Amino acid sequence: MSARVFGVVQGVGFRYRTMGKAGELGLTGEVQNLADGSVDLVAEGPDARVRQLLDWLNSGGAPGRVERVEHSFSDAEGTFGDFTAR
């Protein structure tokens, strides 16, 4: 899954909490801040667990204030060894 998260999501621990949640779910990928104040992430793993991460992003459990999440699903490429913040 590729996702872009909009709202107040920088300077609030969003990347590190997302890394922790992805780790709990056994996902690989990366999360990074973008210059426009949004956050970009890629998550790979079992479909049900990727969807759990997406649900968490939209639940109010993520830090900051998520206004919207734009996402798309594609086949995993297997390029990540773990889940990191950039």
Side-chain angles (χ1 to χ4, degrees):
M1 170 187 71
S2 296
R4 192 155 172 195
V5 184
F6 297 88
V8 180
V9 290
Q10 289 190 15
V12 294
F14 184 87
R15 289 179 302 149
Y16 295 100
R17 291 273 308 277
T18 300
M19 271 185 9
K21 186 64 174 179
E24 283 177 32
L25 296 170
L27 302 175
T28 61
E30 65 183 14
V31 60
Q32 66 180 332
N33 289 340
L34 298 178
D36 68 356
S38 66
V39 172
D40 184 61
L41 70 90
V42 176
E44 294 185 348
D47 185 63
R49 291 183 182 203
V50 171
R51 289 182 186 279
Q52 282 182 290
L53 180 63
L54 180 60
D55 289 346
W56 177 79
L57 292 170
N58 284 299
S59 72
R65 188 179 72 242
V66 174
E67 293 174 2
R68 77 179 189 280
V69 179
E70 296 176 357
H71 69 280
S72 63
F73 290 98
S74 60
D75 292 334
E77 296 178 11
T79 56
F80 303 102
D82 55 8
F83 200 96
T84 61
R86 293 180 42 166

